[in-house]
Amino acid sequence: MSEFQSLPPSKVLHIRNLPEECNEMDIRTLASQYGEVHRVLLLSRKHQAFVEYTSLEESARMLDACETTPMRLGTRVLVAQYSNKPEISAPENRG
């Protein structure tokens, strides 16, 4: 379907097309429907985030849901893909 589907599975998902008013709690609330969220890194200026789950099965569950039915946050349809990183190692977002 997209060039990003060739990335190997990861516990970390890269989420794009986030609304400007989105915050970390919005992402955690949405992502926690699919499993236990270990860490979230929000890149608000880029309208992107990384969500790290505790297992590969949980990240796959969210990715499958995004690909099956358009997932919305606010007025935007989110785009999700596996990250090329096995875990989030960047420092916590400071705003």
Side-chain angles (χ1 to χ4, degrees):
M1 187 170 171
S2 79
E3 65 188 83
F4 300 108
Q5 286 184 335
S6 63
L7 290 171
S10 170
K11 293 188 298 184
V12 180
L13 293 181
H14 179 203
I15 312 295
R16 296 179 289 134
N17 201 35
L18 295 170
E20 191 171 319
E21 65 278 3
C22 179
N23 61 43
E24 183 179 328
M25 187 55 67
D26 294 332
I27 297 165
R28 281 188 179 276
T29 300
L30 177 70
S32 66
Q33 297 175 52
Y34 304 97
E36 185 179 343
V37 175
H38 178 64
R39 187 176 293 140
V40 172
L41 176 62
L42 176 62
L43 307 171
S44 54
R45 290 183 181 160
K46 292 185 173 188
H47 306 285
Q48 299 177 21
F50 291 90
V51 176
E52 181 179 341
Y53 283 96
T54 57
S55 76
L56 199 55
E57 293 78 18
E58 294 165 326
S59 65
R61 198 176 304 141
M62 182 172 179
L63 188 59
D64 288 344
C66 279
E67 291 176 348
T68 304
T69 306
M71 189 174 292
R72 293 184 177 274
L73 191 55
T75 59
R76 301 244 183 134
V77 175
L78 304 182
V79 178
Q81 67 190 61
Y82 286 122
S83 171
N84 61 356
K85 304 291 184 191
E87 62 184 25
I88 296 173
S89 57
E92 290 294 318
N93 186 16
R94 298 180 187 194

